[in-house]
Amino acid sequence: MMRRLIELVVAIPAALVALPLVAAVAVVVLLVMGRPLLFRQARSGRRGEPFTLLKFRTMRAPPPGADPLADDAGRTPPVGQLLRRLRLDELPQLLNVVRGDMGIIGPRPLLPQTIVSLGERGQRRGAIRPGLTGWAQVNGGPVLSDDDKIALDLWYVENRGAWLDLTILLRTLGVLVLGDRVHPAAVEYAHAGHRRRRG
C-alpha cells in the first residue's frame, strides 16, 4: 500500500511536469510517423493480468500489403531511434503507472504469450507489477540476452527494497546520459542466485 502511494505521489506530478515534453514529442511523432500517435499493445501485468501498454510510435507504418512485423529497422527513422535511446517513447506509460497497471520500478512488461512460455519463471516474475525501469534495464537492457534479463528480473523480485529501488533510479539517470552498459557482475550474481534456488 505504501509503495503504491509513493508511486502516485511521484507519477502524478511527473506526468503534469512532463506535459510540455509530451506535447513536443507528440508533434514530432505526428510530423515524422503520422497517425496514430500512440502504440498500444496488450502486455502481461501483475499475476498475468493483461493491460494495454502505451508508448509513442517510433516506426512508420508498413507499406500496403507488407508484413507488419518485418523490417523493423528499416521502418524506424533516426527520430524514432532517438526517442527510444532517450526513453521518450515511454512517457505515456506514466498513465499506466497512474492507472495501476505498472509501477515505477519493476520488470519490463512482456507479451502474455512470452510470460506463458517462461512457465514457472514467468509466474515468479509476475508476482509484482511491471515497471517503467528495472534492474535488468540498468544492467544492460536491450544489450542483454533474454535469459540474462529474466535472471535479473527474478533477482529483483526476490530482493527488492528501498535501497535497491533508489540504486535503480540513480542508474536510470546514468543510462539516459551514457547509454546502455552491461554490468557483468550483476548479471552473473543474478544467474548464481537462480542456480542456487534451483538447487
Side-chain angles (χ1 to χ4, degrees), residues 18-192:
L19 278 177
L21 182 57
V22 169
V25 173
V27 170
V28 170
V29 172
L30 180 63
L31 293 175
V32 177
M33 264 76 70
R35 294 181 184 275
L37 295 177
L38 295 180
F39 170 79
R40 293 178 170 87
Q41 190 175 57
R43 296 291 176 96
S44 186
R46 187 181 183 187
R47 299 192 184 96
E49 186 73 23
F51 72 96
T52 301
L53 179 79
L54 302 175
K55 296 177 69 171
F56 278 119
R57 284 180 57 211
T58 56
M59 295 192 301
R60 295 189 178 96
D67 181 357
L69 300 179
D71 193 25
D72 283 2
R75 291 167 49 208
T76 306
V79 167
Q81 295 173 15
L82 181 62
L83 292 178
R84 290 182 182 179
R85 162 68 181 81
L86 298 176
R87 307 299 198 267
L88 294 177
D89 61 320
E90 297 178 3
L91 283 172
Q93 288 169 41
L94 285 170
L95 182 57
N96 285 125
V97 175
V98 173
R99 287 176 175 173
D101 302 324
M102 297 173 58
I104 293 174
I105 299 173
R108 289 297 296 157
L110 299 178
L111 294 169
Q113 57 265 38
T114 302
I115 293 296
V116 171
S117 72
L118 291 171
E120 182 264 346
R121 292 193 301 165
Q123 293 178 9
R124 285 167 48 207
R125 189 182 184 276
I128 64 174
R129 282 177 294 142
L132 288 173
T133 186
W135 193 231
Q137 282 64 51
V138 300
N139 281 293
V143 182
L144 298 170
S145 70
D146 289 342
D147 198 46
D148 288 343
K149 292 177 189 176
I150 298 300
L152 287 161
D153 287 338
L154 292 176
W155 188 89
Y156 172 78
V157 169
E158 295 161 4
N159 295 277
R160 70 175 180 154
W163 284 111
L164 181 56
D165 286 352
L166 180 59
T167 299
I168 291 171
L169 289 176
L170 293 175
R171 283 199 186 183
T172 298
L173 296 177
V175 170
L176 293 176
V177 175
L178 302 173
D180 295 299
R181 295 185 177 185
V182 176
H183 296 265
V187 175
E188 177 56 32
Y189 196 71
H191 279 292

